[in-house]
Amino acid sequence: MAAVEPHPIRLVVEDDLARSRLTVFFRLLLAIPHLIWITLWTIAMVLIAIVNWFAVLLTGRLPGGLHDFTAAYVRYTTHLNAYLYLAANPYPGFLGTPGSYPIDARIEEPERQSRWKTAFRIFLALPALLLMTTLVGAGGGGGGGGGGGGTTGDTDFGSEAAWGAGGTASAVFVAAILAWFAILARGYAPVGLRDLAAYGLRYAAQTFGYVLLLTDRYPNVDPREPPATQPTPEKPVRLRVEDDLRRSRLTVFFRLLLAIPHFVWLFLWGIAVFLALIVGWFATLATGRLPDALHRFFSAYLRYEIHVFAFVLLVANPFPGFTGTPGSYPVDVEIGPREPQNRWKTLFRLFLAIPAALLNSALSGPLYVAAFLGWFASLALARMPESLRNLGAYVLRYSAQFYAYLYLLTDSYPYSGPAEYVEPEVALEPVPTWPDAPPEPSF
Amino acid sequence: MARRPTRALLLGALFLLAVGLVAGWSLSAWALWQTEVPDGLDPLTVPDSEILSPDLLDEARSYETFLRVLFLVSLVVVIVALALYARFGGRFVRESAAGRIGTGMLLGMLGLAFLWIVDIPFGLAALWWERRHDVSELDYGTWLAENWLALGGEFLFVCLALLVVMGLAGPLRDWWWIPGGAVFVALALLFTFVSPYLLPAQVDAPPDVVAETRSLAEEQDVGEIDVRVADVDSYESPNAAAAGLGPTRRIVVWDTLLESFGDDEVRVVLAHEVGHHSREHLWKSVAWYALFAFPGAFLIAWTTRRRGGMREPTAVPLALLVFVALQTVALPAQNAITRNLEAEADWVALETTEDPDAARDLFAGFSEQGLIDPSPPTWAYALMETHPAIAERIAMAEAWELRAGR
């Protein structure tokens, strides 16, 4: 992976996953003082954002005092959202002090900004705001609010603020709901859900920073950037991406229509898969293994599904084949050999799959928005932006693991974290250590 | 020494086979061409001025002239575009990770997409013209959306066709056209069978329309025929259709027709559509299709041989060009065939309703509402008209009246 200049707004995660069941259970109520406070702060921020806009337009740089005020606001919204979305445990402070919270936004000193980008900032920010809405929710989640854009910060967690475009729940919101149950049961947060929330919060902080004129660097939605510093769980279902980002304008323009024969074939094949699944469920329950023929049949269908959706959603370029042949497509699913499966997990597979199904559905929002934005970008540039492609690949990887679980190909639960482990090429900056917490990934 | 007589024998046998096939084709075509319309009606003509007022006639002629020119230009542009696609379309092979057939499907769909793009300006110009003359109220956005969806349907169709052709061309090489032709005829039969369910959303017909259809079907001795009303947008032109085969036989009447015409005119339309069923026109259409499908498939197989035949995806763009070119060449013949069937349905309707006045009013009404030129120029008649000209249809009503001694 090529080294990329770090974004001036980064997220530092020093959370140890431990959670207090009591504060988690009452989290929404405990946050009420913060919700009142952020409403007031957001009103002030809207006015300050207008001042910011004129200041940057005139001087080409955000003056120090305004920068500090705005940075504190962005940090505070990050702390509060991390608390509300269960990405961190402690009760946050009210001032957005740097380094005061296990999930913190690192914001660099003011730098020169392009006046053109400043003049049209609110329009330029629209794609990022749209993506943020589906990923984190309107207004960046529980707190925050696009000051410069005049959007108001709806601060009620679980209200419309946590819902994505088109009325669907945002991915981070659904992750938080699932984490709430998991934490109450186990006393700590699942790492995948925490990392998903952190990823969303990082993107929200960068989007707010862009809208509120802290920086003119565009928010980066790439889930692999920067790479994770610790291995993610080994999974029998993995996504292999060998796409070169090149896109054919003609096939991009007609992509949905070109996929129609694939949709028909997916539907017909899906009927056979549904019937075979019933047989497979009984067989796995009886023998503890999915029969080899069914394992191959479901694997081919799953690969084919991912090929088709990678094509439709612009995660890859070529027209896919109809057979789901392994290695035949630049975005491919690698499925491990069949293994013995836990009979209890098989017996209750449908019910166990419900949380993953909810998250899979919520992740489709960012996926579709990335494809929508990527469609315009690919038509203009004949190239898919890497960050959008990687977001698509992340969601497809989760989908592949979810469907593999549903199709009895594995009893390993899908991993929801956005980053897969990659050996970092650039040494990450040392970050202050949260008291009594082991080092955690930096997003 | 022994080789020469064998070769001559083989050539002779092939010649005889070819003669037999041509004779069989001609005999079949002659049999299918026969209708109940009596000879000797042609000389009768009706002056256009008796059908439309002078102002309306001028407007209809000017209106149709523009559309005809547009049709001709678009036809030329489409052929040129397809020729370019046949030359360069093979490059899109690199956009596919699918196998032989899947890549062929992609090239087929991209060819249609290319045509769609090329045809958009002509479609928009035609719509602008229709709106300007109050013939259509369709807005541009809806037109584009409907066209986009229709392109999706065409994609499905071309994929199915290429699946058949390329699937057969794999093992059979250049001989795919023989079973391929048979499969296409079977598909045409299937399509005709299910066609009633593919027409616009339908509701129950009013009781009087149902009763009228039943009575007309009895008179034409055709058994019971279902009749439904298509619930279409108010801007759609009045229309009706006979669809289905055997148990799916149905007549579908657009609600705009029921709203625009009186009971007598609607009765003529119903009798015309029942006539299509009673004279087995849908079966005949499939038979005509079969007569064209085999030679057409053969010509496609023959012309694509230089590109490796239809088993190679790179032959698909050329096949598309040949297919459209053949369709264009066959267009006058196909239009003549449908006009022949429509003329018979008109005659049967006159025989059944015995109401030439209603037929006259109906056809004049069509002309007035759709700004249809009652007597189009010969070239436009040959290339564009699937029904007899309005003047011919009215002349037939008058001829029937004369023969009936009224």
Side-chain angles (χ1 to χ4, degrees), chain B residues 212 216 219 262-269 271-272 346-363 393-394 396-402 404 406:
Chain B
E212 194 70 74
L216 291 164
E219 279 188 58
D263 290 347
D264 290 343
E265 288 87 23
V266 169
R267 188 161 173 263
V268 173
V269 172
H272 173 100
D346 278 350
W347 184 257
V348 172
L350 285 164
E351 292 275 70
T352 315
T353 59
E354 299 182 344
D355 191 354
D357 291 338
R360 254 194 305 263
D361 291 347
L362 175 76
F363 298 135
R393 301 180 91 170
I394 293 177
M396 180 185 273
E398 296 193 349
W400 183 90
E401 200 170 18
L402 270 176
R406 297 190 178 189

Tab-separated table of all heavy atoms in Angstrom, chain B residues 212 216 219 262-269 271-272 346-363 393-394 396-402 404 406:
chain	number	residue	atom	x	y	z
B	212	GLU	N	-70.603	-7.585	-26.102
B	212	GLU	CA	-70.401	-7.327	-27.531
B	212	GLU	C	-69.345	-8.266	-28.116
B	212	GLU	O	-69.523	-8.849	-29.198
B	212	GLU	CB	-69.951	-5.865	-27.704
B	212	GLU	CG	-70.023	-5.358	-29.116
B	212	GLU	CD	-71.454	-5.193	-29.608
B	212	GLU	OE1	-72.130	-4.231	-29.186
B	212	GLU	OE2	-71.882	-6.057	-30.389
B	216	LEU	N	-69.794	-11.030	-31.079
B	216	LEU	CA	-68.977	-10.997	-32.301
B	216	LEU	C	-68.212	-12.306	-32.485
B	216	LEU	O	-68.071	-12.812	-33.602
B	216	LEU	CB	-67.987	-9.821	-32.240
B	216	LEU	CG	-68.619	-8.428	-32.332
B	216	LEU	CD1	-67.630	-7.360	-31.875
B	216	LEU	CD2	-69.071	-8.143	-33.761
B	219	GLU	N	-70.517	-14.848	-33.822
B	219	GLU	CA	-70.777	-14.623	-35.253
B	219	GLU	C	-69.606	-15.091	-36.114
B	219	GLU	O	-69.786	-15.575	-37.217
B	219	GLU	CB	-71.025	-13.141	-35.507
B	219	GLU	CG	-72.443	-12.719	-35.189
B	219	GLU	CD	-72.691	-11.291	-35.644
B	219	GLU	OE1	-72.516	-11.015	-36.840
B	219	GLU	OE2	-73.051	-10.472	-34.781
B	262	GLY	N	-67.388	6.255	-30.097
B	262	GLY	CA	-68.736	5.814	-29.739
B	262	GLY	C	-68.863	4.292	-29.778
B	262	GLY	O	-67.947	3.592	-30.226
B	263	ASP	N	-70.026	3.803	-29.370
B	263	ASP	CA	-70.239	2.357	-29.275
B	263	ASP	C	-70.082	1.654	-30.623
B	263	ASP	O	-69.500	0.567	-30.693
B	263	ASP	CB	-71.655	2.070	-28.733
B	263	ASP	CG	-71.755	2.461	-27.264
B	263	ASP	OD1	-70.690	2.707	-26.655
B	263	ASP	OD2	-72.883	2.545	-26.745
B	264	ASP	N	-70.577	2.272	-31.692
B	264	ASP	CA	-70.510	1.621	-33.005
B	264	ASP	C	-69.067	1.464	-33.479
B	264	ASP	O	-68.687	0.423	-34.030
B	264	ASP	CB	-71.299	2.442	-34.051
B	264	ASP	CG	-72.798	2.371	-33.786
B	264	ASP	OD1	-73.206	1.454	-33.035
B	264	ASP	OD2	-73.525	3.237	-34.288
B	265	GLU	N	-68.259	2.538	-33.248
B	265	GLU	CA	-66.854	2.468	-33.662
B	265	GLU	C	-66.098	1.426	-32.835
B	265	GLU	O	-65.292	0.657	-33.375
B	265	GLU	CB	-66.163	3.828	-33.518
B	265	GLU	CG	-66.584	4.854	-34.550
B	265	GLU	CD	-67.814	5.632	-34.140
B	265	GLU	OE1	-68.089	5.710	-32.921
B	265	GLU	OE2	-68.528	6.133	-35.018
B	266	VAL	N	-66.399	1.403	-31.538
B	266	VAL	CA	-65.738	0.420	-30.667
B	266	VAL	C	-66.107	-0.992	-31.123
B	266	VAL	O	-65.273	-1.904	-31.120
B	266	VAL	CB	-66.137	0.648	-29.187
B	266	VAL	CG1	-65.691	-0.515	-28.314
B	266	VAL	CG2	-65.550	1.952	-28.677
B	267	ARG	N	-67.357	-1.145	-31.578
B	267	ARG	CA	-67.803	-2.464	-32.056
B	267	ARG	C	-66.977	-2.894	-33.278
B	267	ARG	O	-66.607	-4.067	-33.405
B	267	ARG	CB	-69.286	-2.385	-32.398
B	267	ARG	CG	-69.915	-3.710	-32.713
B	267	ARG	CD	-71.421	-3.648	-32.585
B	267	ARG	NE	-71.990	-4.896	-33.050
B	267	ARG	CZ	-72.484	-5.081	-34.283
B	267	ARG	NH1	-72.511	-4.076	-35.141
B	267	ARG	NH2	-72.962	-6.257	-34.631
B	268	VAL	N	-66.669	-1.930	-34.153
B	268	VAL	CA	-65.846	-2.252	-35.325
B	268	VAL	C	-64.452	-2.699	-34.876
B	268	VAL	O	-63.898	-3.677	-35.395
B	268	VAL	CB	-65.744	-1.025	-36.273
B	268	VAL	CG1	-64.755	-1.303	-37.403
B	268	VAL	CG2	-67.109	-0.692	-36.853
B	269	VAL	N	-63.907	-1.978	-33.885
B	269	VAL	CA	-62.569	-2.340	-33.391
B	269	VAL	C	-62.592	-3.755	-32.818
B	269	VAL	O	-61.709	-4.579	-33.103
B	269	VAL	CB	-62.095	-1.329	-32.318
B	269	VAL	CG1	-60.795	-1.809	-31.671
B	269	VAL	CG2	-61.891	0.045	-32.937
B	271	ALA	N	-64.661	-6.167	-33.485
B	271	ALA	CA	-64.834	-7.159	-34.565
B	271	ALA	C	-63.521	-7.378	-35.310
B	271	ALA	O	-63.193	-8.503	-35.702
B	271	ALA	CB	-65.907	-6.672	-35.535
B	272	HIS	N	-62.772	-6.287	-35.488
B	272	HIS	CA	-61.464	-6.378	-36.158
B	272	HIS	C	-60.532	-7.283	-35.342
B	272	HIS	O	-59.867	-8.175	-35.897
B	272	HIS	CB	-60.887	-4.961	-36.278
B	272	HIS	CG	-59.484	-4.885	-36.783
B	272	HIS	ND1	-59.164	-4.590	-38.083
B	272	HIS	CD2	-58.298	-5.052	-36.143
B	272	HIS	CE1	-57.852	-4.584	-38.231
B	272	HIS	NE2	-57.294	-4.859	-37.063
B	346	ASP	N	-59.914	-6.117	-41.202
B	346	ASP	CA	-60.864	-5.038	-41.528
B	346	ASP	C	-62.066	-5.612	-42.294
B	346	ASP	O	-63.226	-5.267	-42.029
B	346	ASP	CB	-60.178	-3.986	-42.421
B	346	ASP	CG	-59.344	-2.998	-41.617
B	346	ASP	OD1	-59.446	-3.019	-40.375
B	346	ASP	OD2	-58.584	-2.226	-42.230
B	347	TRP	N	-61.784	-6.481	-43.240
B	347	TRP	CA	-62.853	-7.055	-44.070
B	347	TRP	C	-63.783	-7.925	-43.212
B	347	TRP	O	-65.017	-7.837	-43.330
B	347	TRP	CB	-62.246	-7.875	-45.211
B	347	TRP	CG	-63.289	-8.399	-46.145
B	347	TRP	CD1	-63.778	-9.664	-46.201
B	347	TRP	CD2	-64.010	-7.637	-47.117
B	347	TRP	NE1	-64.755	-9.772	-47.150
B	347	TRP	CE2	-64.923	-8.529	-47.741
B	347	TRP	CE3	-63.982	-6.304	-47.535
B	347	TRP	CZ2	-65.785	-8.120	-48.745
B	347	TRP	CZ3	-64.842	-5.918	-48.544
B	347	TRP	CH2	-65.726	-6.812	-49.131
B	348	VAL	N	-63.171	-8.722	-42.361
B	348	VAL	CA	-63.971	-9.585	-41.481
B	348	VAL	C	-64.843	-8.724	-40.565
B	348	VAL	O	-66.022	-9.036	-40.313
B	348	VAL	CB	-63.048	-10.517	-40.647
B	348	VAL	CG1	-63.841	-11.268	-39.587
B	348	VAL	CG2	-62.337	-11.496	-41.563
B	349	ALA	N	-64.282	-7.601	-40.100
B	349	ALA	CA	-65.052	-6.706	-39.225
B	349	ALA	C	-66.252	-6.136	-39.975
B	349	ALA	O	-67.359	-6.042	-39.425
B	349	ALA	CB	-64.154	-5.590	-38.712
B	350	LEU	N	-66.051	-5.780	-41.256
B	350	LEU	CA	-67.162	-5.248	-42.063
B	350	LEU	C	-68.229	-6.317	-42.269
B	350	LEU	O	-69.436	-6.052	-42.173
B	350	LEU	CB	-66.637	-4.754	-43.412
B	350	LEU	CG	-65.871	-3.431	-43.371
B	350	LEU	CD1	-65.070	-3.225	-44.659
B	350	LEU	CD2	-66.828	-2.259	-43.154
B	351	GLU	N	-67.777	-7.534	-42.544
B	351	GLU	CA	-68.715	-8.642	-42.752
B	351	GLU	C	-69.519	-8.930	-41.472
B	351	GLU	O	-70.690	-9.284	-41.531
B	351	GLU	CB	-67.946	-9.913	-43.145
B	351	GLU	CG	-67.296	-9.853	-44.520
B	351	GLU	CD	-68.227	-10.243	-45.656
B	351	GLU	OE1	-69.146	-9.444	-45.924
B	351	GLU	OE2	-68.052	-11.317	-46.240
B	352	THR	N	-68.854	-8.770	-40.344
B	352	THR	CA	-69.516	-9.110	-39.087
B	352	THR	C	-70.449	-7.999	-38.621
B	352	THR	O	-71.578	-8.257	-38.201
B	352	THR	CB	-68.456	-9.375	-37.985
B	352	THR	OG1	-67.423	-10.189	-38.522
B	352	THR	CG2	-69.068	-10.063	-36.781
B	353	THR	N	-69.948	-6.745	-38.665
B	353	THR	CA	-70.767	-5.637	-38.122
B	353	THR	C	-71.770	-5.116	-39.141
B	353	THR	O	-72.787	-4.542	-38.756
B	353	THR	CB	-69.865	-4.464	-37.704
B	353	THR	OG1	-69.117	-4.014	-38.845
B	353	THR	CG2	-68.907	-4.866	-36.595
B	354	GLU	N	-71.435	-5.283	-40.426
B	354	GLU	CA	-72.263	-4.735	-41.514
B	354	GLU	C	-72.548	-3.263	-41.278
B	354	GLU	O	-73.671	-2.783	-41.457
B	354	GLU	CB	-73.576	-5.538	-41.635
B	354	GLU	CG	-73.313	-6.997	-41.950
B	354	GLU	CD	-74.608	-7.788	-42.121
B	354	GLU	OE1	-75.654	-7.266	-41.706
B	354	GLU	OE2	-74.535	-8.897	-42.666
B	355	ASP	N	-71.503	-2.573	-40.826
B	355	ASP	CA	-71.676	-1.162	-40.487
B	355	ASP	C	-70.524	-0.345	-41.084
B	355	ASP	O	-69.627	0.106	-40.368
B	355	ASP	CB	-71.709	-1.015	-38.951
B	355	ASP	CG	-72.145	0.366	-38.526
B	355	ASP	OD1	-72.308	1.240	-39.408
B	355	ASP	OD2	-72.319	0.583	-37.312
B	356	PRO	N	-70.535	-0.116	-42.407
B	356	PRO	CA	-69.429	0.625	-43.029
B	356	PRO	C	-69.342	2.070	-42.556
B	356	PRO	O	-68.267	2.655	-42.537
B	356	PRO	CB	-69.746	0.540	-44.525
B	356	PRO	CG	-71.202	0.239	-44.609
B	356	PRO	CD	-71.565	-0.526	-43.388
B	357	ASP	N	-70.488	2.638	-42.154
B	357	ASP	CA	-70.447	4.037	-41.678
B	357	ASP	C	-69.590	4.146	-40.419
B	357	ASP	O	-68.776	5.063	-40.271
B	357	ASP	CB	-71.858	4.538	-41.380
B	357	ASP	CG	-72.661	4.697	-42.663
B	357	ASP	OD1	-72.010	4.825	-43.734
B	357	ASP	OD2	-73.898	4.660	-42.598
B	358	ALA	N	-69.797	3.180	-39.504
B	358	ALA	CA	-69.003	3.196	-38.259
B	358	ALA	C	-67.529	2.994	-38.582
B	358	ALA	O	-66.659	3.638	-37.977
B	358	ALA	CB	-69.493	2.099	-37.311
B	359	ALA	N	-67.234	2.110	-39.548
B	359	ALA	CA	-65.832	1.873	-39.930
B	359	ALA	C	-65.235	3.161	-40.482
B	359	ALA	O	-64.107	3.545	-40.125
B	359	ALA	CB	-65.753	0.748	-40.957
B	360	ARG	N	-65.991	3.836	-41.357
B	360	ARG	CA	-65.513	5.107	-41.934
B	360	ARG	C	-65.220	6.124	-40.824
B	360	ARG	O	-64.178	6.766	-40.797
B	360	ARG	CB	-66.581	5.673	-42.886
B	360	ARG	CG	-66.222	5.513	-44.356
B	360	ARG	CD	-67.118	6.374	-45.211
B	360	ARG	NE	-68.549	6.110	-44.963
B	360	ARG	CZ	-69.309	5.299	-45.706
B	360	ARG	NH1	-68.773	4.662	-46.731
B	360	ARG	NH2	-70.578	5.119	-45.426
B	361	ASP	N	-66.179	6.257	-39.902
B	361	ASP	CA	-66.003	7.235	-38.816
B	361	ASP	C	-64.781	6.878	-37.959
B	361	ASP	O	-64.045	7.752	-37.509
B	361	ASP	CB	-67.247	7.277	-37.927
B	361	ASP	CG	-68.432	7.897	-38.676
B	361	ASP	OD1	-68.176	8.499	-39.749
B	361	ASP	OD2	-69.574	7.754	-38.199
B	362	LEU	N	-64.624	5.590	-37.735
B	362	LEU	CA	-63.499	5.142	-36.907
B	362	LEU	C	-62.170	5.517	-37.562
B	362	LEU	O	-61.304	6.137	-36.927
B	362	LEU	CB	-63.570	3.620	-36.716
B	362	LEU	CG	-62.390	2.997	-35.972
B	362	LEU	CD1	-62.480	3.277	-34.478
B	362	LEU	CD2	-62.327	1.484	-36.201
B	363	PHE	N	-62.021	5.179	-38.832
B	363	PHE	CA	-60.735	5.419	-39.497
B	363	PHE	C	-60.490	6.922	-39.665
B	363	PHE	O	-59.358	7.392	-39.490
B	363	PHE	CB	-60.695	4.704	-40.851
B	363	PHE	CG	-60.827	3.200	-40.719
B	363	PHE	CD1	-61.673	2.467	-41.557
B	363	PHE	CD2	-60.105	2.523	-39.741
B	363	PHE	CE1	-61.791	1.089	-41.413
B	363	PHE	CE2	-60.225	1.148	-39.604
B	363	PHE	CZ	-61.086	0.423	-40.433
B	393	ARG	N	-58.426	1.936	-46.135
B	393	ARG	CA	-59.360	1.300	-45.191
B	393	ARG	C	-60.782	1.838	-45.413
B	393	ARG	O	-61.762	1.086	-45.383
B	393	ARG	CB	-58.902	1.533	-43.749
B	393	ARG	CG	-57.519	0.973	-43.484
B	393	ARG	CD	-57.045	1.198	-42.075
B	393	ARG	NE	-57.409	0.078	-41.210
B	393	ARG	CZ	-56.955	-0.088	-39.964
B	393	ARG	NH1	-56.141	0.809	-39.431
B	393	ARG	NH2	-57.330	-1.117	-39.244
B	394	ILE	N	-60.850	3.151	-45.658
B	394	ILE	CA	-62.179	3.726	-45.906
B	394	ILE	C	-62.713	3.238	-47.259
B	394	ILE	O	-63.904	2.922	-47.415
B	394	ILE	CB	-62.111	5.270	-45.833
B	394	ILE	CG1	-61.801	5.671	-44.378
B	394	ILE	CG2	-63.421	5.902	-46.308
B	394	ILE	CD1	-61.636	7.149	-44.146
B	396	MET	N	-62.118	0.416	-48.546
B	396	MET	CA	-62.607	-0.951	-48.379
B	396	MET	C	-64.037	-0.941	-47.800
B	396	MET	O	-64.904	-1.724	-48.237
B	396	MET	CB	-61.683	-1.749	-47.451
B	396	MET	CG	-62.146	-3.175	-47.245
B	396	MET	SD	-61.155	-4.065	-46.060
B	396	MET	CE	-59.877	-4.691	-47.101
B	397	ALA	N	-64.292	-0.023	-46.868
B	397	ALA	CA	-65.640	0.068	-46.287
B	397	ALA	C	-66.647	0.418	-47.374
B	397	ALA	O	-67.759	-0.138	-47.433
B	397	ALA	CB	-65.653	1.104	-45.175
B	398	GLU	N	-66.256	1.323	-48.258
B	398	GLU	CA	-67.169	1.722	-49.339
B	398	GLU	C	-67.367	0.584	-50.333
B	398	GLU	O	-68.465	0.367	-50.860
B	398	GLU	CB	-66.651	2.987	-50.006
B	398	GLU	CG	-66.663	4.150	-49.020
B	398	GLU	CD	-66.473	5.507	-49.662
B	398	GLU	OE1	-66.129	5.546	-50.849
B	398	GLU	OE2	-66.675	6.503	-48.948
B	399	ALA	N	-66.269	-0.144	-50.573
B	399	ALA	CA	-66.358	-1.290	-51.491
B	399	ALA	C	-67.307	-2.341	-50.916
B	399	ALA	O	-68.109	-2.952	-51.630
B	399	ALA	CB	-64.976	-1.876	-51.705
B	400	TRP	N	-67.192	-2.553	-49.625
B	400	TRP	CA	-68.095	-3.537	-48.988
B	400	TRP	C	-69.540	-3.083	-49.136
B	400	TRP	O	-70.437	-3.892	-49.447
B	400	TRP	CB	-67.742	-3.677	-47.493
B	400	TRP	CG	-68.578	-4.719	-46.822
B	400	TRP	CD1	-68.302	-6.032	-46.707
B	400	TRP	CD2	-69.867	-4.515	-46.229
B	400	TRP	NE1	-69.325	-6.690	-46.071
B	400	TRP	CE2	-70.305	-5.784	-45.759
B	400	TRP	CE3	-70.704	-3.411	-46.052
B	400	TRP	CZ2	-71.534	-5.963	-45.118
B	400	TRP	CZ3	-71.920	-3.598	-45.408
B	400	TRP	CH2	-72.324	-4.868	-44.954
B	401	GLU	N	-69.761	-1.787	-48.965
B	401	GLU	CA	-71.110	-1.224	-49.066
B	401	GLU	C	-71.661	-1.435	-50.475
B	401	GLU	O	-72.821	-1.826	-50.648
B	401	GLU	CB	-71.036	0.268	-48.746
B	401	GLU	CG	-72.353	0.878	-48.350
B	401	GLU	CD	-72.176	2.283	-47.809
B	401	GLU	OE1	-71.119	2.903	-48.048
B	401	GLU	OE2	-73.112	2.755	-47.143
B	402	LEU	N	-70.810	-1.215	-51.477
B	402	LEU	CA	-71.217	-1.405	-52.867
B	402	LEU	C	-71.585	-2.864	-53.136
B	402	LEU	O	-72.612	-3.163	-53.753
B	402	LEU	CB	-70.079	-1.001	-53.811
B	402	LEU	CG	-70.047	0.451	-54.271
B	402	LEU	CD1	-68.811	0.700	-55.125
B	402	LEU	CD2	-71.311	0.757	-55.093
B	404	ALA	N	-72.492	-5.030	-51.032
B	404	ALA	CA	-73.677	-5.426	-50.281
B	404	ALA	C	-74.936	-4.821	-50.885
B	404	ALA	O	-76.053	-5.076	-50.409
B	404	ALA	CB	-73.548	-5.005	-48.827
B	406	ARG	N	-75.862	-1.621	-50.929
B	406	ARG	CA	-76.507	-0.576	-50.125
B	406	ARG	C	-76.375	0.800	-50.755
B	406	ARG	O	-75.486	1.046	-51.527
B	406	ARG	CB	-75.873	-0.551	-48.745
B	406	ARG	CG	-76.114	-1.848	-48.029
B	406	ARG	CD	-75.717	-1.746	-46.593
B	406	ARG	NE	-75.996	-2.998	-45.917
B	406	ARG	CZ	-75.911	-3.145	-44.607
B	406	ARG	NH1	-75.571	-2.138	-43.844
B	406	ARG	NH2	-76.172	-4.307	-44.059
